[in-house]
Amino acid sequence: MALGGLPGFRDFFPSDMRLRSHILDGWRRVAERYGFEEYDGPPLEPLDLYVRKSGEEIVGQLYRFTDQGGREVALRPEMTPTFARMVGARAAGLPKPIRWYSTPQLFRYERPQKGRLREHFQLNMDIVGEPGELADAEMIAAAIDVLREFGLGEADIVARVSDRRLMGAVLDEFGVAEDSLAAVFAVIDRLDREDEAVLRDRLDAAGVPQAAADRIFEFAADPDPSLSACVEAGDGGPELRDAADRLSRVLGHLDATGLGGFVRFDPTLVRGLAYYTGTVFEVWDRAGEFRAICGGGRYDDLLAAVGGPDLPALGFGMGDVVLGELLIARGLEPEQLPAIQDFVVCVTPEQRPLGLQVAHWLRDSGRRVAYDFADRSVGRQFKVANQMGAERAIVVGPDEAADEAVLIRDLSSGEEARVPIGNLKPMND
Ligand code: HAM
């Protein structure tokens, strides 16, 4: 009987690891170019950390259990609560702003489908201790630059940006009560993913009057929303004006960076998670064929809420699943490099010691090298060298050994050259 893995969990065969490593390496390069330092936390956390902070959708998807010591625990479904907890513990002694990144594997019990699995890797980049909107622009720019690193351009991706308070002020004006806001944001977050009838039922359950629900759907239907139209639709309060001013400055900074073409204002973007307080953004493929590649925003109250200092914070998470699908669809996956460059061929078992020395020297000088573990025929060894995709065969035979030389054959052109073995010694030996 074949032993299958769990649904929504991936086996990474070598050919799959290539894409995963390509993505994780690219994430690291760009995060470090932005001056972020790497951190990590435990994959298992107290359940309470998420129940209080993440919002209903994620809490419903937790892998949770009671451990053998009777503790209620959960596998991390997202990194932000752990990040808030860790930064909270050290923040007093750290120079601000803090810029940290991580690439954890996360676990959510979702229905496995295109772009959604039960585990994924997620780049998290977060800044703590900076209230100014240059930091908001920096995070959005970083998310875009990460995607540019993989070859995606303006034609491929778009960053939808808003400030949660804008939609909050609009909903206030429509007559949605303050204490229904979180539930209504969760509905708005699903506008393009779920049937209107289902969403109307949810709005009804959240206590939203039908007239307000009608206005929400009408507002969300505007194909080209502007910041000024949003301000007009809103309640005119100071929060709304502050949000609009901030957002126009964020958009201005992004223009100055040269990334303006990647960015679009979209007031219906509110994000499903409970802790965002201001700027929110998501990056999508422009054609809209895939799920969100990345999402984040400002969460100025979360650190204090997990018992840490009252410091502003913001950041984003980018998953490897949708990104990987998009790279494959656009032909941007990394090319397959052969596992080895050189294959050392021993003509008879007597040359084995010399073969081992040559192989070791080549490895010391940075080449990827393999050789046959059994004493098989020369023809067979060449066959394996070709199968493994080697560029060169390094032939060690009795004639060559007598001359303290090896024969190097270029396996694609067939050209051969006799080379003194001393030439293969690493330079610093
Ligand atoms: P999120 O929107 O839940 O945000 O996830 C961010 C990204 O992770 C998504 O856009 C998606 O690419 C990927 N992702 C999420 N769930 C799955 C899944 N089940 N399968 C595959 N990919 C998935 C957060 O997690 C926030 N904590 C991000 C953040 C960091 N906000 C501030 N700092």
Side-chain angles (χ1 to χ4, degrees):
M1 190 186 78
L3 209 53
L6 289 168
F9 284 77
R10 292 169 288 180
D11 289 331
F12 289 96
F13 292 97
S15 56
D16 309 310
M17 274 312 287
R18 194 161 43 95
L19 183 59
R20 170 171 143 189
S21 301
H22 176 69
I23 290 175
L24 272 97
D25 292 348
W27 284 351
R28 265 206 178 87
R29 278 197 303 278
V30 179
E32 291 187 1
R33 251 183 250 155
Y34 270 74
F36 281 59
E37 290 180 290
E38 189 167 15
Y39 72 99
D40 198 2
L44 200 63
E45 287 275 21
L47 174 67
D48 204 36
L49 186 64
Y50 307 112
V51 169
R52 282 188 296 140
K53 298 297 157 258
S54 291
E56 256 171 59
E57 186 171 359
I58 280 199
V59 171
Q61 299 167 339
L62 284 175
Y63 277 90
R64 49 195 280 185
F65 59 96
T66 310
D67 77 5
Q68 297 186 38
R71 295 172 201 90
E72 294 291 316
V73 295
L75 281 175
R76 58 188 177 192
E78 59 157 337
M79 198 60 174
T80 311
T82 300
F83 172 74
R85 185 174 63 65
M86 287 174 62
V87 165
R90 292 273 169 97
L94 295 171
K96 317 289 178 310
I98 296 160
R99 297 175 172 89
W100 285 3
Y101 82 94
S102 194
T103 58
Q105 190 174 22
L106 305 177
F107 305 89
R108 298 184 189 180
Y109 196 83
E110 294 206 43
R111 190 168 59 78
Q113 55 192 294
K114 188 175 154 202
R116 281 290 174 276
L117 297 172
R118 291 182 174 163
E119 52 76 21
H120 70 284
F121 290 89
Q122 194 187 86
L123 167 66
N124 278 247
M125 289 179 71
D126 291 87
I127 297 178
V128 169
E130 180 48 62
E133 55 271 350
L134 263 177
D136 303 58
E138 178 87 336
M139 288 311 345
I140 298 166
I144 295 169
D145 275 344
V146 169
L147 296 169
R148 288 178 59 235
E149 178 77 2
F150 296 111
L152 295 162
E154 268 179 46
D156 303 300
I157 52 165
V158 59
R160 297 164 58 204
V161 182
S162 188
D163 186 309
R164 225 187 211 193
R165 292 172 301 164
L166 289 171
M167 198 65 212
V170 170
L171 292 174
D172 185 39
E173 185 63 16
F174 289 176
V176 173
E178 177 82 30
D179 57 3
S180 310
L181 267 189
V184 176
F185 280 161
V187 170
I188 292 177
D189 184 54
R190 304 191 76 81
L191 276 176
D192 50 4
R193 284 184 272 164
E194 206 122 41
D195 266 2
E196 185 170 325
V198 175
L199 296 176
R200 276 185 183 273
D201 283 349
R202 284 210 205 143
L203 288 176
D204 191 43
V208 176
Q210 197 183 329
D214 289 344
R215 294 183 74 182
I216 292 171
F217 283 102
E218 197 186 315
F219 181 81
D222 183 351
D224 189 19
S226 71
L227 204 45
S228 53
C230 191
V231 170
E232 271 166 40
D235 61 4
E239 282 251 77
L240 172 66
R241 286 197 303 275
D242 180 56
D245 288 349
R246 278 188 68 105
L247 192 62
S248 72
R249 286 194 293 268
V250 172
L251 297 173
H253 295 321
L254 285 165
D255 272 341
T257 314
L259 297 174
F262 283 90
V263 181
R264 185 164 69 83
F265 167 60
D266 181 349
T268 64
L269 183 87
V270 288
R271 307 269 299 133
L273 291 159
Y275 45 66
Y276 295 111
T277 51
T279 304
V280 279
F281 65 97
E282 282 180 355
V283 184
W284 290 74
D285 68 296
R286 215 176 261 278
E289 291 164 41
F290 299 87
R291 312 281 300 253
I293 310 164
C294 142
R298 198 169 255 289
Y299 50 96
D300 285 346
D301 302 334
L302 185 62
L303 263 73
V306 295
D310 190 7
L311 284 171
L314 70 164
F316 69 84
M318 178 186 297
D320 68 325
V321 179
V322 181
L323 177 56
E325 288 172 352
L326 183 59
L327 293 182
I328 290 169
R330 300 285 177 271
L332 292 170
E333 68 267 52
E335 63 173 311
Q336 170 96 56
L337 282 181
I340 61 162
Q341 296 166 299
D342 294 335
F343 194 93
V344 177
V345 174
C346 287
V347 176
T348 73
E350 281 69 51
Q351 281 84 53
R352 176 66 68 197
L354 186 57
L356 287 173
Q357 177 169 69
V358 164
H360 205 248
W361 280 346
L362 288 167
R363 285 176 178 159
D364 272 354
S365 56
R367 304 220 17 118
R368 300 191 302 276
V369 183
Y371 44 81
D372 194 23
F373 295 139
D375 294 322
R376 286 187 284 193
S377 72
V378 170
R380 182 84 196 144
Q381 291 181 60
F382 268 98
K383 200 166 171 197
V384 177
N386 279 312
Q387 273 167 356
M388 291 184 77
E391 294 159 14
R392 311 189 301 180
I394 316 292
V395 185
V396 188
D399 298 347
E400 289 81 14
D403 283 357
E404 301 234 312
V406 293
L407 189 75
I408 300 186
R409 181 193 286 191
D410 181 313
L411 289 174
S412 45
S413 68
E415 264 171 46
E416 290 184 347
R418 206 174 238 255
V419 175
I421 56 167
N423 291 11
L424 303 181
K425 261 192 174 176
M427 299 295 269
N428 55 359
D429 226 34

